[in-house]
Amino acid sequence: MQFLLVDPWFYAAAVPAVLLVGLSKGGLGGGVGFVGVPLMALVMPPVQAAAILLPILCLMDVAALWTWRGVYDRRTLIDTLPGSIAGIGLGWLFAAMVTEEMVRLIIGTIALAFVLRWLYLRLRHGAEHTAKPNRAAAAVWGAIAGFTSFVAHLGGPPFQIYTLPLRLDPKILSGTTAIFFAVTNALKLVPYFALGQFDTTNLTASLVLMPLAPLATLAGAWIVRRMHPEIFYPLTYATVAVVGVKLLWDSLAGVL
Protein backbone atom coordinates (compact mmCIF):
# COMPACT_ATOMS: atom_id res chain seq x y z
CA MET A 1 0.00 0.00 0.00
CA GLN A 2 2.73 2.48 0.96
CA PHE A 3 4.58 1.83 -2.30
CA LEU A 4 1.45 2.48 -4.34
CA LEU A 5 0.66 5.78 -2.63
CA VAL A 6 4.19 7.16 -3.07
CA ASP A 7 4.58 5.97 -6.65
CA PRO A 8 4.46 9.04 -8.98
CA TRP A 9 3.34 6.84 -11.87
CA PHE A 10 0.23 5.90 -9.90
CA TYR A 11 -0.79 9.56 -9.70
CA ALA A 12 0.26 10.23 -13.30
CA ALA A 13 -2.27 7.63 -14.44
CA ALA A 14 -4.94 7.84 -11.73
CA VAL A 15 -5.46 11.61 -11.54
CA PRO A 16 -6.21 12.08 -15.29
CA ALA A 17 -8.34 8.93 -15.20
CA VAL A 18 -10.51 10.24 -12.35
CA LEU A 19 -10.83 13.67 -13.96
CA LEU A 20 -11.94 12.23 -17.31
CA VAL A 21 -14.38 9.82 -15.70
CA GLY A 22 -15.77 12.68 -13.63
CA LEU A 23 -16.33 14.88 -16.67
CA SER A 24 -18.13 11.96 -18.30
CA LYS A 25 -20.24 11.41 -15.17
CA GLY A 26 -21.28 15.03 -15.38
CA GLY A 27 -22.63 14.35 -18.87
CA LEU A 28 -19.75 15.62 -21.01
CA GLY A 29 -18.49 13.36 -23.76
CA GLY A 30 -20.63 10.35 -22.93
CA GLY A 31 -18.52 7.23 -23.21
CA VAL A 32 -15.18 9.02 -22.83
CA GLY A 33 -15.20 7.82 -19.23
CA PHE A 34 -14.16 4.40 -20.54
CA VAL A 35 -10.53 5.49 -20.29
CA GLY A 36 -10.57 5.21 -16.49
CA VAL A 37 -9.68 1.54 -16.09
CA PRO A 38 -7.42 1.28 -19.19
CA LEU A 39 -5.44 4.37 -18.15
CA MET A 40 -4.91 3.16 -14.60
CA ALA A 41 -4.15 -0.32 -15.93
CA LEU A 42 -0.94 1.11 -17.37
CA VAL A 43 0.54 1.08 -13.86
CA MET A 44 -1.44 -1.65 -12.06
CA PRO A 45 -3.51 -4.78 -12.74
CA PRO A 46 -6.85 -3.97 -14.45
CA VAL A 47 -8.86 -5.70 -11.72
CA GLN A 48 -7.20 -3.55 -9.05
CA ALA A 49 -7.84 -0.42 -11.13
CA ALA A 50 -11.54 -1.30 -11.36
CA ALA A 51 -11.74 -1.92 -7.61
CA ILE A 52 -10.08 1.43 -6.80
CA LEU A 53 -12.39 3.30 -9.18
CA LEU A 54 -15.69 1.82 -7.98
CA PRO A 55 -15.99 3.77 -4.68
CA ILE A 56 -14.95 6.91 -6.59
CA LEU A 57 -17.63 6.23 -9.19
CA CYS A 58 -20.21 5.94 -6.42
CA LEU A 59 -19.18 9.36 -5.05
CA MET A 60 -19.40 10.79 -8.57
CA ASP A 61 -22.88 9.29 -8.85
CA VAL A 62 -23.95 11.20 -5.75
CA ALA A 63 -22.64 14.45 -7.25
CA ALA A 64 -24.34 13.70 -10.58
CA LEU A 65 -27.65 12.84 -8.90
CA TRP A 66 -27.59 16.12 -7.01
CA THR A 67 -26.65 18.09 -10.11
CA TRP A 68 -29.36 16.56 -12.34
CA ARG A 69 -32.00 16.09 -9.62
CA GLY A 70 -35.53 16.01 -11.00
CA VAL A 71 -34.34 15.85 -14.62
CA TYR A 72 -34.72 12.39 -16.14
CA ASP A 73 -36.81 10.18 -18.43
CA ARG A 74 -38.87 7.79 -16.31
CA ARG A 75 -39.73 5.36 -19.09
CA THR A 76 -36.11 4.84 -20.10
CA LEU A 77 -35.17 3.96 -16.53
CA ILE A 78 -38.09 1.57 -16.11
CA ASP A 79 -37.16 -0.17 -19.35
CA THR A 80 -33.37 -0.42 -18.81
CA LEU A 81 -32.76 -0.94 -15.09
CA PRO A 82 -34.17 -4.50 -14.81
CA GLY A 83 -31.80 -5.55 -17.58
CA SER A 84 -28.89 -3.90 -15.78
CA ILE A 85 -29.62 -5.87 -12.61
CA ALA A 86 -29.65 -9.10 -14.62
CA GLY A 87 -26.41 -8.12 -16.35
CA ILE A 88 -24.67 -7.49 -13.03
CA GLY A 89 -25.78 -10.92 -11.84
CA LEU A 90 -24.34 -12.53 -14.97
CA GLY A 91 -21.10 -10.59 -14.55
CA TRP A 92 -20.77 -11.85 -10.99
CA LEU A 93 -21.56 -15.42 -12.05
CA PHE A 94 -19.02 -15.47 -14.88
CA ALA A 95 -16.44 -13.11 -13.34
CA ALA A 96 -13.72 -15.77 -13.41
CA MET A 97 -14.40 -16.78 -17.02
CA VAL A 98 -14.71 -13.47 -18.87
CA THR A 99 -11.50 -11.71 -19.83
CA GLU A 100 -11.22 -7.96 -20.33
CA GLU A 101 -10.02 -8.57 -23.90
CA MET A 102 -13.32 -10.31 -24.65
CA VAL A 103 -15.33 -7.42 -23.22
CA ARG A 104 -13.29 -4.83 -25.10
CA LEU A 105 -13.66 -6.72 -28.38
CA ILE A 106 -17.44 -7.05 -28.05
CA ILE A 107 -18.08 -3.48 -26.91
CA GLY A 108 -15.64 -1.99 -29.43
CA THR A 109 -17.31 -3.80 -32.30
CA ILE A 110 -20.79 -2.82 -31.14
CA ALA A 111 -19.80 0.81 -30.59
CA LEU A 112 -18.33 1.20 -34.07
CA ALA A 113 -21.31 -0.51 -35.69
CA PHE A 114 -23.59 1.83 -33.74
CA VAL A 115 -21.78 4.96 -34.93
CA LEU A 116 -21.74 3.74 -38.54
CA ARG A 117 -25.48 3.07 -38.32
CA TRP A 118 -26.02 6.60 -36.96
CA LEU A 119 -24.04 8.08 -39.86
CA TYR A 120 -26.10 6.05 -42.34
CA LEU A 121 -29.41 7.18 -40.82
CA ARG A 122 -28.17 10.76 -40.66
CA LEU A 123 -27.33 10.72 -44.37
CA ARG A 124 -30.58 9.00 -45.29
CA HIS A 125 -33.08 10.70 -42.99
CA GLY A 126 -31.28 13.84 -41.86
CA ALA A 127 -29.90 14.97 -38.54
CA GLU A 128 -33.29 15.00 -36.80
CA HIS A 129 -34.00 11.27 -37.12
CA THR A 130 -35.31 9.97 -33.79
CA ALA A 131 -35.85 6.39 -32.67
CA LYS A 132 -38.91 5.31 -30.71
CA PRO A 133 -38.67 3.72 -27.24
CA ASN A 134 -38.51 -0.07 -27.40
CA ARG A 135 -38.86 -2.06 -24.18
CA ALA A 136 -37.23 -5.22 -25.53
CA ALA A 137 -34.22 -3.34 -26.92
CA ALA A 138 -33.95 -1.38 -23.68
CA ALA A 139 -33.83 -4.59 -21.65
CA VAL A 140 -31.14 -6.11 -23.87
CA TRP A 141 -28.89 -3.04 -23.89
CA GLY A 142 -29.50 -2.50 -20.20
CA ALA A 143 -28.33 -6.05 -19.51
CA ILE A 144 -25.22 -5.59 -21.66
CA ALA A 145 -24.49 -2.30 -19.89
CA GLY A 146 -24.83 -3.95 -16.48
CA PHE A 147 -22.60 -6.85 -17.49
CA THR A 148 -19.82 -4.76 -19.04
CA SER A 149 -20.05 -2.23 -16.21
CA PHE A 150 -19.47 -5.02 -13.69
CA VAL A 151 -16.53 -6.51 -15.58
CA ALA A 152 -14.61 -3.34 -16.48
CA HIS A 153 -16.75 -0.22 -15.81
CA LEU A 154 -17.59 -0.14 -19.53
CA GLY A 155 -21.35 0.23 -19.29
CA GLY A 156 -21.51 3.65 -20.96
CA PRO A 157 -21.35 2.65 -24.66
CA PRO A 158 -24.07 -0.06 -24.47
CA PHE A 159 -26.37 2.29 -22.55
CA GLN A 160 -25.78 5.02 -25.12
CA ILE A 161 -26.46 2.65 -27.99
CA TYR A 162 -30.05 2.51 -26.77
CA THR A 163 -30.50 6.05 -25.43
CA LEU A 164 -28.73 8.29 -27.95
CA PRO A 165 -31.09 7.48 -30.88
CA LEU A 166 -34.00 8.60 -28.67
CA ARG A 167 -32.57 12.14 -28.95
CA LEU A 168 -33.64 13.19 -25.49
CA ASP A 169 -32.80 16.69 -24.38
CA PRO A 170 -29.11 16.63 -23.30
CA LYS A 171 -30.04 17.57 -19.74
CA ILE A 172 -32.68 14.83 -19.53
CA LEU A 173 -30.26 12.29 -21.01
CA SER A 174 -27.59 13.30 -18.49
CA GLY A 175 -30.03 13.00 -15.60
CA THR A 176 -31.30 9.64 -16.81
CA THR A 177 -27.76 8.36 -17.23
CA ALA A 178 -26.86 9.56 -13.74
CA ILE A 179 -29.69 7.57 -12.14
CA PHE A 180 -29.05 4.46 -14.24
CA PHE A 181 -25.38 4.24 -13.26
CA ALA A 182 -25.94 5.31 -9.66
CA VAL A 183 -28.17 2.26 -9.24
CA THR A 184 -25.85 0.04 -11.28
CA ASN A 185 -22.69 1.02 -9.38
CA ALA A 186 -24.39 0.74 -5.99
CA LEU A 187 -25.48 -2.81 -6.83
CA LYS A 188 -21.94 -3.69 -7.91
CA LEU A 189 -20.59 -2.98 -4.42
CA VAL A 190 -21.99 -6.23 -3.02
CA PRO A 191 -20.32 -8.65 -5.48
CA TYR A 192 -17.09 -6.64 -5.41
CA PHE A 193 -16.99 -7.07 -1.63
CA ALA A 194 -17.79 -10.78 -2.03
CA LEU A 195 -14.94 -11.18 -4.52
CA GLY A 196 -12.47 -9.61 -2.06
CA GLN A 197 -11.67 -6.55 -4.19
CA PHE A 198 -11.99 -3.98 -1.39
CA ASP A 199 -8.82 -4.57 0.61
CA THR A 200 -6.96 -1.90 2.59
CA THR A 201 -4.69 -0.96 -0.30
CA ASN A 202 -7.47 -0.36 -2.79
CA LEU A 203 -9.76 1.49 -0.39
CA THR A 204 -6.93 3.78 0.76
CA ALA A 205 -6.07 4.61 -2.85
CA SER A 206 -9.76 5.36 -3.48
CA LEU A 207 -9.89 7.75 -0.52
CA VAL A 208 -6.78 9.61 -1.71
CA LEU A 209 -8.35 10.21 -5.15
CA MET A 210 -11.90 10.98 -3.98
CA PRO A 211 -11.55 14.78 -3.59
CA LEU A 212 -11.20 15.03 -7.38
CA ALA A 213 -14.47 13.18 -8.04
CA PRO A 214 -17.17 15.79 -7.28
CA LEU A 215 -15.14 18.63 -8.79
CA ALA A 216 -14.76 16.87 -12.15
CA THR A 217 -18.41 15.72 -12.16
CA LEU A 218 -19.77 19.20 -11.46
CA ALA A 219 -17.48 20.67 -14.12
CA GLY A 220 -18.85 18.24 -16.72
CA ALA A 221 -22.43 19.10 -15.77
CA TRP A 222 -21.69 22.84 -15.95
CA ILE A 223 -20.49 22.46 -19.53
CA VAL A 224 -23.44 20.26 -20.62
CA ARG A 225 -25.98 22.78 -19.27
CA ARG A 226 -24.55 25.32 -21.69
CA MET A 227 -24.24 23.03 -24.71
CA HIS A 228 -26.80 22.94 -27.54
CA PRO A 229 -28.09 19.54 -28.81
CA GLU A 230 -26.55 20.30 -32.23
CA ILE A 231 -23.14 20.21 -30.55
CA PHE A 232 -23.85 17.69 -27.81
CA TYR A 233 -24.94 14.77 -29.97
CA PRO A 234 -22.19 14.88 -32.64
CA LEU A 235 -19.62 15.25 -29.85
CA THR A 236 -21.04 12.28 -27.98
CA TYR A 237 -21.19 10.09 -31.07
CA ALA A 238 -17.60 11.06 -31.86
CA THR A 239 -16.46 9.98 -28.39
CA VAL A 240 -18.30 6.67 -28.78
CA ALA A 241 -16.42 6.15 -32.06
CA VAL A 242 -13.12 6.83 -30.30
CA VAL A 243 -14.16 4.41 -27.57
CA GLY A 244 -14.86 1.71 -30.16
CA VAL A 245 -11.54 2.13 -31.96
CA LYS A 246 -9.58 2.17 -28.69
CA LEU A 247 -11.33 -0.89 -27.30
CA LEU A 248 -10.83 -2.85 -30.51
CA TRP A 249 -7.18 -1.86 -30.61
CA ASP A 250 -6.64 -2.91 -26.99
CA SER A 251 -8.45 -6.22 -27.45
CA LEU A 252 -6.44 -7.14 -30.55
CA ALA A 253 -3.21 -6.07 -28.87
CA GLY A 254 -4.06 -8.30 -25.92
CA VAL A 255 -4.69 -11.28 -28.19
CA LEU A 256 -1.58 -10.74 -30.32
Short mmCIF file of all heavy atoms in Angstrom, two decimals, residues 207-240:
data_model
loop_
_atom_site.label_atom_id
_atom_site.label_comp_id
_atom_site.label_asym_id
_atom_site.label_seq_id
_atom_site.Cartn_x
_atom_site.Cartn_y
_atom_site.Cartn_z
N LEU A 207 -9.70 6.58 -1.38
CA LEU A 207 -9.89 7.75 -0.52
C LEU A 207 -8.96 8.90 -0.92
O LEU A 207 -9.36 10.07 -0.87
CB LEU A 207 -9.63 7.36 0.94
CG LEU A 207 -10.70 6.49 1.60
CD1 LEU A 207 -10.24 6.02 2.98
CD2 LEU A 207 -12.02 7.26 1.72
N VAL A 208 -7.74 8.58 -1.31
CA VAL A 208 -6.78 9.61 -1.71
C VAL A 208 -7.27 10.35 -2.95
O VAL A 208 -7.11 11.57 -3.09
CB VAL A 208 -5.39 8.99 -1.96
CG1 VAL A 208 -4.45 9.99 -2.62
CG2 VAL A 208 -4.79 8.49 -0.65
N LEU A 209 -7.91 9.63 -3.88
CA LEU A 209 -8.35 10.21 -5.15
C LEU A 209 -9.74 10.84 -5.08
O LEU A 209 -10.12 11.62 -5.96
CB LEU A 209 -8.35 9.13 -6.24
CG LEU A 209 -6.98 8.54 -6.59
CD1 LEU A 209 -7.16 7.31 -7.48
CD2 LEU A 209 -6.10 9.56 -7.28
N MET A 210 -10.49 10.55 -4.04
CA MET A 210 -11.90 10.98 -3.98
C MET A 210 -12.13 12.48 -4.06
O MET A 210 -13.13 12.92 -4.63
CB MET A 210 -12.56 10.41 -2.72
CG MET A 210 -13.13 9.03 -2.92
SD MET A 210 -14.05 8.47 -1.48
CE MET A 210 -14.61 6.86 -2.07
N PRO A 211 -11.27 13.33 -3.49
CA PRO A 211 -11.55 14.78 -3.59
C PRO A 211 -11.70 15.29 -5.01
O PRO A 211 -12.37 16.30 -5.25
CB PRO A 211 -10.33 15.40 -2.90
CG PRO A 211 -9.88 14.37 -1.92
CD PRO A 211 -10.11 13.06 -2.63
N LEU A 212 -11.10 14.60 -5.99
CA LEU A 212 -11.20 15.03 -7.38
C LEU A 212 -12.57 14.71 -7.98
O LEU A 212 -12.99 15.35 -8.96
CB LEU A 212 -10.12 14.35 -8.22
CG LEU A 212 -8.66 14.64 -7.86
CD1 LEU A 212 -7.74 13.73 -8.67
CD2 LEU A 212 -8.33 16.11 -8.14
N ALA A 213 -13.26 13.72 -7.42
CA ALA A 213 -14.47 13.18 -8.04
C ALA A 213 -15.59 14.20 -8.18
O ALA A 213 -16.08 14.43 -9.30
CB ALA A 213 -14.95 11.95 -7.25
N PRO A 214 -16.05 14.85 -7.11
CA PRO A 214 -17.17 15.79 -7.28
C PRO A 214 -16.80 17.01 -8.12
O PRO A 214 -17.65 17.53 -8.85
CB PRO A 214 -17.52 16.18 -5.84
CG PRO A 214 -16.30 15.90 -5.04
CD PRO A 214 -15.65 14.73 -5.70
N LEU A 215 -15.56 17.46 -8.02
CA LEU A 215 -15.14 18.63 -8.79
C LEU A 215 -15.24 18.37 -10.28
O LEU A 215 -15.78 19.18 -11.05
CB LEU A 215 -13.71 19.03 -8.41
CG LEU A 215 -13.49 19.46 -6.96
CD1 LEU A 215 -12.02 19.74 -6.71
CD2 LEU A 215 -14.34 20.68 -6.63
N ALA A 216 -14.73 17.21 -10.72
CA ALA A 216 -14.76 16.87 -12.15
C ALA A 216 -16.19 16.64 -12.62
O ALA A 216 -16.57 17.05 -13.73
CB ALA A 216 -13.90 15.63 -12.41
N THR A 217 -17.02 15.99 -11.79
CA THR A 217 -18.41 15.72 -12.16
C THR A 217 -19.21 17.02 -12.33
O THR A 217 -19.94 17.19 -13.30
CB THR A 217 -19.08 14.83 -11.10
OG1 THR A 217 -18.32 13.63 -10.94
CG2 THR A 217 -20.49 14.46 -11.52
N LEU A 218 -19.06 17.92 -11.38
CA LEU A 218 -19.77 19.20 -11.46
C LEU A 218 -19.29 20.03 -12.65
O LEU A 218 -20.08 20.74 -13.28
CB LEU A 218 -19.59 19.98 -10.15
CG LEU A 218 -20.23 19.33 -8.91
CD1 LEU A 218 -19.88 20.13 -7.65
CD2 LEU A 218 -21.74 19.23 -9.06
N ALA A 219 -18.00 19.94 -12.97
CA ALA A 219 -17.48 20.67 -14.12
C ALA A 219 -18.10 20.16 -15.41
O ALA A 219 -18.48 20.93 -16.31
CB ALA A 219 -15.95 20.54 -14.18
N GLY A 220 -18.23 18.82 -15.54
CA GLY A 220 -18.85 18.24 -16.72
C GLY A 220 -20.30 18.67 -16.85
O GLY A 220 -20.77 19.01 -17.95
N ALA A 221 -21.03 18.68 -15.73
CA ALA A 221 -22.43 19.10 -15.77
C ALA A 221 -22.56 20.57 -16.14
O ALA A 221 -23.48 20.96 -16.88
CB ALA A 221 -23.08 18.84 -14.40
N TRP A 222 -21.66 21.41 -15.65
CA TRP A 222 -21.69 22.84 -15.95
C TRP A 222 -21.57 23.08 -17.45
O TRP A 222 -22.26 23.91 -18.02
CB TRP A 222 -20.55 23.54 -15.21
CG TRP A 222 -20.54 25.03 -15.37
CD1 TRP A 222 -21.21 25.95 -14.61
CD2 TRP A 222 -19.82 25.77 -16.36
NE1 TRP A 222 -20.95 27.22 -15.08
CE2 TRP A 222 -20.09 27.15 -16.14
CE3 TRP A 222 -18.96 25.42 -17.40
CZ2 TRP A 222 -19.55 28.15 -16.93
CZ3 TRP A 222 -18.41 26.43 -18.19
CH2 TRP A 222 -18.70 27.77 -17.95
N ILE A 223 -20.69 22.31 -18.09
CA ILE A 223 -20.49 22.46 -19.53
C ILE A 223 -21.72 21.99 -20.30
O ILE A 223 -22.19 22.63 -21.25
CB ILE A 223 -19.23 21.70 -19.98
CG1 ILE A 223 -17.99 22.31 -19.33
CG2 ILE A 223 -19.09 21.73 -21.51
CD1 ILE A 223 -16.73 21.52 -19.56
N VAL A 224 -22.29 20.83 -19.91
CA VAL A 224 -23.44 20.26 -20.62
C VAL A 224 -24.64 21.21 -20.55
O VAL A 224 -25.38 21.37 -21.54
CB VAL A 224 -23.82 18.88 -20.03
CG1 VAL A 224 -25.16 18.41 -20.56
CG2 VAL A 224 -22.74 17.86 -20.37
N ARG A 225 -24.86 21.86 -19.41
CA ARG A 225 -25.98 22.78 -19.27
C ARG A 225 -25.91 23.92 -20.27
O ARG A 225 -26.93 24.54 -20.58
CB ARG A 225 -26.02 23.34 -17.85
CG ARG A 225 -26.45 22.33 -16.79
CD ARG A 225 -26.57 23.01 -15.44
NE ARG A 225 -26.84 22.05 -14.37
CZ ARG A 225 -28.04 21.57 -14.07
NH1 ARG A 225 -29.09 21.95 -14.77
NH2 ARG A 225 -28.19 20.71 -13.08
N ARG A 226 -24.74 24.20 -20.77
CA ARG A 226 -24.55 25.32 -21.69
C ARG A 226 -24.31 24.87 -23.13
O ARG A 226 -23.94 25.67 -23.98
CB ARG A 226 -23.38 26.18 -21.20
CG ARG A 226 -23.73 26.95 -19.94
CD ARG A 226 -22.51 27.31 -19.10
NE ARG A 226 -22.93 28.07 -17.91
CZ ARG A 226 -23.44 27.51 -16.82
NH1 ARG A 226 -23.60 26.19 -16.76
NH2 ARG A 226 -23.80 28.26 -15.79
N MET A 227 -24.53 23.59 -23.39
CA MET A 227 -24.24 23.03 -24.71
C MET A 227 -25.53 22.74 -25.46
O MET A 227 -26.45 22.12 -24.93
CB MET A 227 -23.41 21.74 -24.57
CG MET A 227 -22.87 21.21 -25.89
SD MET A 227 -21.85 19.72 -25.63
CE MET A 227 -20.49 20.40 -24.69
N HIS A 228 -25.62 23.19 -26.71
CA HIS A 228 -26.80 22.94 -27.54
C HIS A 228 -26.81 21.50 -28.06
O HIS A 228 -25.74 20.90 -28.27
CB HIS A 228 -26.82 23.90 -28.73
CG HIS A 228 -27.00 25.33 -28.33
ND1 HIS A 228 -28.18 25.81 -27.78
CD2 HIS A 228 -26.14 26.40 -28.37
CE1 HIS A 228 -28.05 27.10 -27.52
NE2 HIS A 228 -26.82 27.48 -27.87
N PRO A 229 -28.01 20.90 -28.29
CA PRO A 229 -28.09 19.54 -28.81
C PRO A 229 -27.31 19.35 -30.11
O PRO A 229 -26.76 18.27 -30.37
CB PRO A 229 -29.59 19.32 -29.02
CG PRO A 229 -30.24 20.25 -28.05
CD PRO A 229 -29.34 21.46 -27.99
N GLU A 230 -27.26 20.40 -30.96
CA GLU A 230 -26.55 20.30 -32.23
C GLU A 230 -25.06 20.07 -32.04
O GLU A 230 -24.38 19.53 -32.92
CB GLU A 230 -26.77 21.58 -33.06
CG GLU A 230 -28.20 21.79 -33.52
CD GLU A 230 -29.09 22.33 -32.41
OE1 GLU A 230 -28.56 22.72 -31.34
OE2 GLU A 230 -30.33 22.33 -32.59
N ILE A 231 -24.55 20.45 -30.88
CA ILE A 231 -23.14 20.21 -30.55
C ILE A 231 -23.01 18.96 -29.70
O ILE A 231 -22.10 18.14 -29.90
CB ILE A 231 -22.55 21.42 -29.80
CG1 ILE A 231 -22.62 22.67 -30.68
CG2 ILE A 231 -21.11 21.13 -29.37
CD1 ILE A 231 -22.17 23.94 -29.97
N PHE A 232 -23.94 18.79 -28.77
CA PHE A 232 -23.85 17.69 -27.81
C PHE A 232 -23.86 16.33 -28.49
O PHE A 232 -23.01 15.47 -28.21
CB PHE A 232 -25.02 17.79 -26.82
CG PHE A 232 -25.09 16.66 -25.83
CD1 PHE A 232 -24.34 16.68 -24.67
CD2 PHE A 232 -25.91 15.56 -26.06
CE1 PHE A 232 -24.41 15.64 -23.76
CE2 PHE A 232 -25.99 14.52 -25.15
CZ PHE A 232 -25.23 14.57 -24.00
N TYR A 233 -24.80 16.11 -29.40
CA TYR A 233 -24.94 14.77 -29.97
C TYR A 233 -23.79 14.39 -30.90
O TYR A 233 -23.24 13.29 -30.79
CB TYR A 233 -26.31 14.62 -30.65
CG TYR A 233 -27.38 14.25 -29.65
CD1 TYR A 233 -28.23 15.21 -29.12
CD2 TYR A 233 -27.51 12.95 -29.19
CE1 TYR A 233 -29.20 14.88 -28.18
CE2 TYR A 233 -28.47 12.60 -28.26
CZ TYR A 233 -29.31 13.57 -27.76
OH TYR A 233 -30.24 13.23 -26.81
N PRO A 234 -23.37 15.25 -31.84
CA PRO A 234 -22.19 14.88 -32.64
C PRO A 234 -20.95 14.64 -31.79
O PRO A 234 -20.17 13.72 -32.06
CB PRO A 234 -22.01 16.10 -33.56
CG PRO A 234 -23.38 16.67 -33.70
CD PRO A 234 -24.02 16.49 -32.35
N LEU A 235 -20.76 15.45 -30.73
CA LEU A 235 -19.62 15.25 -29.85
C LEU A 235 -19.69 13.90 -29.16
O LEU A 235 -18.70 13.17 -29.07
CB LEU A 235 -19.57 16.37 -28.80
CG LEU A 235 -18.50 16.21 -27.71
CD1 LEU A 235 -17.10 16.24 -28.30
CD2 LEU A 235 -18.66 17.30 -26.65
N THR A 236 -20.88 13.55 -28.69
CA THR A 236 -21.04 12.28 -27.98
C THR A 236 -20.84 11.09 -28.91
O THR A 236 -20.18 10.10 -28.55
CB THR A 236 -22.43 12.20 -27.31
OG1 THR A 236 -22.61 13.35 -26.48
CG2 THR A 236 -22.55 10.95 -26.47
N TYR A 237 -21.41 11.17 -30.11
CA TYR A 237 -21.19 10.09 -31.07
C TYR A 237 -19.71 9.97 -31.43
O TYR A 237 -19.19 8.86 -31.60
CB TYR A 237 -22.02 10.33 -32.34
CG TYR A 237 -23.45 9.85 -32.24
CD1 TYR A 237 -24.50 10.75 -32.05
CD2 TYR A 237 -23.76 8.50 -32.33
CE1 TYR A 237 -25.81 10.32 -31.96
CE2 TYR A 237 -25.07 8.06 -32.25
CZ TYR A 237 -26.09 8.97 -32.06
OH TYR A 237 -27.40 8.53 -31.96
N ALA A 238 -19.03 11.09 -31.54
CA ALA A 238 -17.60 11.06 -31.86
C ALA A 238 -16.82 10.36 -30.75
O ALA A 238 -15.90 9.56 -31.02
CB ALA A 238 -17.07 12.48 -32.07
N THR A 239 -17.17 10.63 -29.49
CA THR A 239 -16.46 9.98 -28.39
C THR A 239 -16.76 8.48 -28.36
O THR A 239 -15.88 7.68 -28.03
CB THR A 239 -16.83 10.61 -27.04
OG1 THR A 239 -18.23 10.46 -26.80
CG2 THR A 239 -16.45 12.07 -27.00
N VAL A 240 -17.99 8.10 -28.71
CA VAL A 240 -18.30 6.67 -28.78
C VAL A 240 -17.46 6.00 -29.87
O VAL A 240 -16.98 4.87 -29.70
CB VAL A 240 -19.80 6.45 -29.03
CG1 VAL A 240 -20.11 4.97 -29.27
CG2 VAL A 240 -20.62 6.96 -27.87
#
